[in-house]
């Protein structure tokens, strides 16, 4: 049995074997092929859509890699109103989206009461939809309140599972311990949880990536979001190298084989570093795309990194473009809430 067959069979490998997969290209073809086989066994050709609403680019934190960190004085800040968010959902529902992802920086303007008010209004209007939040680290009580208001999924990438690496890419007031605790709290409350990391973030090593796999094995998330690190101007890492396309694709395939049931997006960051990046991500084992639903006039301001794609299109154009990309990759977009299939 070669390493890829072993990974498929056992849903695990030793650290040394992971290192071979990550550092050599010997097994790439086999890796992509087997990941696609497993993806089709679990999800067929289906690709789920998540309508992304970037509702605020204010953030009280200053993650060193992130273009909307609070120390970046060169960007224009914006917030959507409740009405604007509900308009996005209305448009998204008409376009066939059955999951809304509300993402923002950590913005204290959006108090728990305000978030609960927005979430319950969405829940009331769209009973058949999933509501995903991605607003960073909050107290367990806050997470419980949002859950009771009707949110049922939460995305919080752990960013890196290694303490020292975490410290190198975050300010001292943020801790990996708290981020991990948030993820376990969210699981305990009953959310479907998504975690993940950037590929090629500054100082990241192969050992760190293997530690990321090990942490994900411990967490067993429903969703795993990974994408290449892309430098953002006016940040500490503005001149660092971007993450590698091939390595990102290999990691998508490894994750598919480690977690056959997982919902894995082919991210906008992947589409930013290569024109056909999202198609390649789908072929490597991803099964989600996240069209942007934010009003076009704000999109350019949610600048996590440089040259982000899809900032000029209207929601309907994004839908059409992604549908075409999905079908060119050999898969099909489905109108479905898109829950994880854990029957394997
Ligand atoms: N504030 C929330 C949080 O902390 O989870 C959600 C927003 S945050 C901007 C969403 C994700 O963007 C992060 O988890 C990070 O992995 C990704 N991101 C930030 N800066 C990036 C960059 N320069 N390149 C690629 N991805 C980046
Ligand atoms: Fe807060 Fe990026 S630093 S969202």
């Amino acid at each position: 049995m070669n390493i890829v067959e072993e990974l498929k069979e056992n849903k695990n490998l030793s650290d040394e074997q992971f290192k071979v997969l990550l550092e050599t290209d010997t097994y790439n073809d086999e890796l992509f092929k087997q990941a696609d086989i497993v993806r089709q066994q679990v999800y067929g050709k289906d690709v789920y859509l998540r309508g992304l609403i970037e509702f605020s680019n204010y953030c009280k934190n200053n993650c060193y890699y992130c273009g909307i960190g609070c120390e970046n004085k060169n960007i224009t800040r914006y917030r959507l109103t409740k009405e604007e968010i509900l308009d996005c959902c209305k448009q998204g529902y008409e376009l066939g989206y059955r999951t809304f992802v509300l993402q923002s920086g950590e913005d204290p303007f959006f108090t728990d009461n305000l978030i609960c008010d927005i979430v319950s209004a969405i829940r009331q209007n769209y009973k058949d939809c999933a509501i995903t939040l991605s607003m960073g680290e909050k107290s367990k009580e806050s997470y419980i309140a949002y859950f009771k208001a009707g949110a049922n999924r939460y995305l919080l990438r752990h960013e890196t599972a290694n303490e020292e690496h975490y410290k190198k890419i975050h300010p001292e007031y943020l801790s990996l311990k708290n981020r991990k605790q948030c993820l376990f709290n969210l699981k305990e409350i009953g959310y479907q949880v998504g975690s993940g990391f950037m590929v090629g973030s500054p100082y990241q090593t192969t050992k760190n990536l293997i530690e990321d796999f090990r942490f994900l094995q411990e967490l067993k998330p429903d969703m795993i979001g990974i994408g290449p690190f892309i430098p953002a101007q006016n940040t500490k890492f503005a001149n660092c190298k971007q993450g590698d396309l091939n390595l990102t694709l290999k990691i998508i395939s490894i994750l598919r084989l480690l977690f056959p049931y997982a919902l894995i997006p082919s991210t906008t960051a992947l589409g930013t570093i290569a024109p056909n990046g999202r198609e390649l991500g789908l072929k490597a084992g991803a099964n989600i795309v996240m069209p942007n639903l934010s009003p076009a006039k704000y999109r350019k301001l949610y600048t996590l990194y440089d040259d982000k794609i899809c900032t000029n299109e209207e929601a309907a154009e994004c839908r059409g473009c992604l549908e075409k990309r999905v079908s060119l990759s050999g898969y099909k977009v489905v109108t479905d809430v898109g829950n994880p299939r854990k029957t394997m």
Side-chain angles (χ1 to χ4, degrees), residues 58-63 65-70 104-106 302 304:
Y58 283 84
C59 188
K60 66 181 169 66
N61 298 331
N62 195 55
C63 301
Y65 45 83
C66 182
I68 64 168
C70 62
S104 69
E106 290 195 17
Y302 200 79
L304 305 185

Side-chain angles (χ1 to χ4, degrees), residues 134-187:
S134 176
M135 316 182 315
E137 298 172 32
K138 305 278 173 179
S139 68
K140 191 170 180 188
E141 292 66 39
S142 301
Y143 288 146
I144 292 173
Y146 312 150
F147 190 76
K148 285 189 178 155
N152 59 330
R153 294 182 183 152
Y154 205 101
L155 303 180
L156 185 78
R157 291 182 175 181
H158 64 278
E159 312 295 2
T160 170
N162 177 285
E163 287 283 355
E164 282 84 63
H165 185 219
Y166 195 90
K167 284 197 191 110
K168 287 183 184 161
I169 61 174
H170 294 97
E172 75 292 342
Y173 51 82
L174 294 174
S175 81
L176 177 59
K177 190 162 169 267
N178 191 58
R179 202 145 177 107
K180 285 183 174 174
Q181 188 56 54
C182 286
L183 284 161
F184 288 111
N185 288 346
L186 288 159
K187 262 203 111 170

